Amino acid sequence: MELIMDILIVFFLISGVFFYFVGVVGLIRMPDVYSRMHATTKCDTLGAGLILLALMLAQPISTATAKIFFVIVFIWLTNPTAAHIIARASYKTNIPFASDTEFVDHTSDGAKEERQ
Amino acid sequence: MISIIDAFAIALVILTILGFVCLYRAYKGPSSADRVVAITVIATKTCTIIASVSFIYQKEFFLDVALVYSLISFIAMIGVAKYLERGSC
């Protein structure tokens, strides 16, 4: 039973570090802001979530477990919100897309004219 | 035979190296939104690192630091994004 728990903890830990690695590679290699943000939000939710889950499993149930749970909840609430707001700000300030992006605007005509 | 604490310590070293790699994008980024995205990743990573350090040293009050750090970084990101959008907070 102890061995199964340890294997589970190490599996979650390695998965979390792997997703952080993927997010950082996307942050360095992707061509524009929006695709970089796509990579890094995956790294925030999955990387931090899995590592903190491994931390919850690694110690006996106490108040520390509840605190780590609250850290996970805050990260999962705040990071998508922050990514949404940054993406909206960079869209409104006309930060260019990558050169081979096919841009299809589904909003109304007024918003389309405002962008062009 | 490595213990669970050693596994967390190795993960911490890897995460710290990845944080320095993120600093490259924060330095180089063509637009200011790139820098904000890079700093967001570093903030989340720091939060994870603080929580892991609380497990390694068995000090529970570090978790309070991680909790407050995630909230403060959220407020900072909102402030910077609003500043980019409107030119004022």
Side-chain angles (χ1 to χ4, degrees):
Chain A
M1 194 61 205
E2 194 73 20
L3 182 67
I4 296 175
M5 207 62 180
D6 284 357
I7 290 174
L8 205 61
I9 290 168
V10 172
F11 173 71
F12 281 146
L13 193 61
I14 291 176
S15 314
V17 173
F18 170 74
F19 277 110
Y20 263 121
F21 180 73
V22 168
V24 171
V25 168
L27 180 68
I28 297 296
R29 296 282 299 169
M30 285 287 187
D32 66 355
V33 186
Y34 309 98
S35 43
R36 274 173 207 146
M37 206 174 294
H38 166 75
T40 57
T41 44
K42 301 299 175 295
C43 135
D44 283 345
T45 46
L46 278 174
L50 286 174
I51 291 180
L52 290 176
L53 191 63
L55 272 177
M56 278 173 79
L57 294 178
Q59 42 199 343
I61 292 180
S62 60
T63 53
T65 315
K67 282 181 186 174
I68 295 173
F69 179 72
F70 279 119
V71 173
I72 294 179
V73 168
F74 277 133
I75 285 180
W76 281 2
L77 277 181
T78 57
N79 270 319
T81 315
H84 169 78
I85 290 176
I86 294 167
R88 195 183 61 178
S90 52
Y91 180 78
K92 281 189 177 176
T93 51
N94 289 329
I95 290 177
F97 287 82
S99 57
D100 52 349
T101 305
E102 186 176 343
F103 185 73
V104 180
D105 198 348
H106 290 291
T107 54
S108 63
D109 290 339
K112 193 185 296 180
E113 286 171 7
E114 183 187 344
R115 177 164 177 81
Q116 292 162 354
Chain B
M1 186 67 192
I2 67 170
S3 62
I4 291 293
I5 291 183
D6 291 337
F8 274 100
I10 295 169
L12 279 194
V13 172
I14 299 174
L15 284 188
T16 313
I17 294 171
L18 288 180
F20 279 106
V21 176
C22 285
L23 276 180
Y24 168 75
R25 179 55 70 194
Y27 171 71
K28 187 80 185 304
S31 65
S32 45
D34 288 305
R35 303 174 208 269
V36 178
V37 171
I39 298 299
T40 313
V41 178
I42 295 178
T44 314
K45 205 167 291 178
T46 311
C47 190
T48 315
I49 287 174
I50 293 172
S52 304
V53 164
S54 89
F55 172 66
I56 289 175
Y57 289 112
Q58 295 291 328
K59 296 274 193 296
E60 199 185 317
F61 58 86
F62 278 146
L63 288 174
D64 302 333
V65 181
L67 204 59
V68 174
Y69 193 90
S70 66
L71 288 178
I72 285 180
S73 72
F74 172 62
I75 300 295
M77 291 317 143
I78 296 256
V80 173
K82 287 291 177 191
Y83 178 73
L84 289 180
E85 191 174 332
R86 298 188 205 144
S88 71
C89 286

